[in-house]
Amino acid sequence: MPRWLSEEEQQTWQSYIQMRQRLDAVLAAGLGEHGLSMSDYELLVPLSAAAGGCLRAKELAAEVCWDKSRLSKQLARMATRGLVDRVPAEDDARGIVVSLTEAGRKVLREAAPEHVELVRELFVDRMTDAESAAVRSLAEKVILASESRSGAPS
């Protein structure tokens, strides 16, 4: 028998969902002004942080918690727009290496300052230091619990 949520738990869960949806909508609109989607940004950020701006597709998928099909379709769209390149891995005929192009790096440099400012304005600046620590602690617990359920690497 399921353990139904109490009224207070339900309100907490719904508040989280509404916060996430509204935050995502505002952030997506900001990125859209630069011709990027949230999905584009989610992939450009880890590529920009990687050595040489390159990651194996398998590593990139793990980094953003996406399945192979979703990643492949998004990378195809981004490659068409010149944001990334995909080439076969030299050491593995089945592997793909994804690299950030100069165009991808340029649009990320243009979009990131506004994006970070929105994150700060809408999320970070709304919390005290104690609340920020509590959010981090909760996030770490949820990540660990979800990884143990999905079998994803820690």
Side-chain angles (χ1 to χ4, degrees), residues 6 14-15 27 37 43 45 47 66-67 69 72 75 77-80 106 110 112 114 116-117 120-121 123 126 139 141:
S6 69
Q14 289 302 316
S15 293
L27 294 174
S37 68
L43 298 181
V45 169
L47 285 171
W66 288 12
D67 64 43
S69 175
S72 179
L75 289 174
R77 288 188 290 269
M78 292 172 73
T80 299
K106 179 179 184 284
E110 293 169 355
E114 180 182 329
V116 171
E117 190 54 41
R120 174 169 294 290
E121 175 190 334
F123 188 74
R126 301 286 163 227
K141 290 175 187 177

Side-chain angles (χ1 to χ4, degrees), residues 60-78:
L60 183 57
E63 177 83 19
V64 296
C65 299
W66 288 12
D67 64 43
K68 184 178 176 180
S69 175
R70 179 180 180 193
L71 181 69
S72 179
K73 290 174 184 173
Q74 183 63 33
L75 289 174
R77 288 188 290 269
M78 292 172 73

